[in-house]
Amino acid sequence: MTAFVEGAPCWADAMLPDLEAGKRFYGELFGWSYVGSDPEFGRYATALLDGRKVAGLMPKRDGRMPTVWGVYFASSDLAATVAGVREAGGQVITGVTPVGDLGAMMLGVDPGGAVFGAWQAGRHEGFEAQAEPGAYVWMGLSTRAPEAVDAFYGDVFGFEGVPDEPGATATFLPWRIAGQEREIGCRIVLDARAPAELPAHFTVFFLVEEMEAAVRTVVRQGGKVLSEPQGTPGGPLALVVDNQGAAFGLMAPK
């Protein structure tokens, strides 16, 4: 069994063209150090915040693969999760894949076209720090198929919408795990204002102490701002891109 509630976001990692450049970028932005980078695991580097595991960075094996951040949901039975994905109308990219004694993973695509992962813990259980500066805090799914993906993630991972929460609208729906009080992320509708070529996708958010300083650090290192900082019920939020093209989000305390 994992240390996370079934279906909860438990890990995030990025595929990058230049691993060393990525390590420098995120080390400067979030204060991360790194362990790993062994050839046995594809030079995968585990990011540490004060010695605790908070994310992963890996070099792309093929230049045609996207430069992107991905999120993984906790599963105590990956075989059942794979079956559930297919039954709920999703697709399986990679079935149950052991990762040494660390655990096992799978990758799938939801009915709206967004890629996600699931992780069954072994020696690696997932995030060792969350919701503090330099660590994962939130995830958002942007999609053009809201009804289909709401049903899909409810069936597969136990997500339920929270339409009565502050900020919820016809296009923005907070999510939580059924039976839990804390929200784990949200679903956002990609409307006509979104470029037609923009695919459905997850955005991974990290907490920072001070938003303006974090944005300046992103830009100083060659990254870009996609969405200027704006106030939300959960605190200031911005969307940015690193210096290799991977998009992610920043949040700051209220």
Side-chain angles (χ1 to χ4, degrees):
M1 296 293 289
T2 73
F4 287 80
V5 174
E6 191 83 8
C10 65
W11 193 244
D13 57 24
M15 289 196 299
L16 303 171
D18 187 332
L19 176 62
E20 294 306 315
K23 289 164 72 172
R24 291 191 295 271
F25 180 94
Y26 291 102
E28 175 71 17
L29 179 60
F30 296 133
W32 291 350
S33 59
Y34 304 91
V35 294
S37 301
D38 300 322
E40 177 187 0
F41 295 112
R43 297 180 57 225
Y44 192 101
T46 299
L48 306 179
L49 181 67
D50 298 327
R52 296 165 297 166
K53 300 172 183 175
V54 290
L57 303 178
M58 64 181 131
K60 294 199 293 185
R61 299 186 303 275
D62 186 326
R64 294 170 295 182
M65 299 175 75
T67 300
V68 66
W69 275 96
V71 64
Y72 298 79
F73 304 113
S75 170
S76 60
D77 185 342
L78 271 186
T81 298
V82 166
V85 166
R86 292 184 171 124
E87 290 170 5
Q91 301 176 42
V92 175
I93 301 174
T94 304
V96 179
T97 305
V99 186
D101 64 351
L102 299 176
M105 61 169 285
M106 64 81 61
L107 292 175
V109 181
D110 70 28
V115 176
F116 64 91
W119 178 256
Q120 183 173 338
R123 188 163 54 84
H124 174 66
E125 295 185 336
F127 298 123
E128 294 179 343
Q130 294 185 72
E132 62 180 84
Y136 170 91
V137 66
W138 186 257
M139 60 89 183
L141 170 63
S142 298
T143 184
R144 294 180 178 82
E147 294 84 3
V149 300
D150 285 349
F152 175 84
Y153 288 101
D155 290 343
V156 179
F157 294 112
F159 292 7
E160 63 180 19
V162 192
D164 57 346
E165 283 298 301
T169 67
T171 59
F172 175 88
L173 180 67
W175 272 338
R176 65 187 173 201
I177 302 293
Q180 303 288 309
E181 294 184 2
R182 187 175 69 86
E183 295 169 16
I184 59 164
C186 63
R187 182 266 292 148
I188 304 163
V189 176
L190 288 170
D191 57 23
R193 294 172 293 179
E197 65 272 17
L198 180 66
H201 61 279
F202 278 94
T203 302
V204 176
F205 289 81
F206 298 95
L207 194 68
V208 295
E209 286 191 31
E210 203 281 315
M211 179 62 73
E212 295 299 333
V215 169
R216 286 196 299 271
T217 300
V218 168
V219 174
R220 176 169 51 80
Q221 294 195 95
K224 298 179 181 179
V225 178
L226 293 179
S227 174
E228 294 289 342
Q230 56 184 299
T232 74
L237 176 152
L239 297 177
V240 298
V241 178
D242 71 16
N243 58 355
Q244 300 187 62
F248 61 100
L250 301 173
M251 295 185 72
K254 294 182 183 180

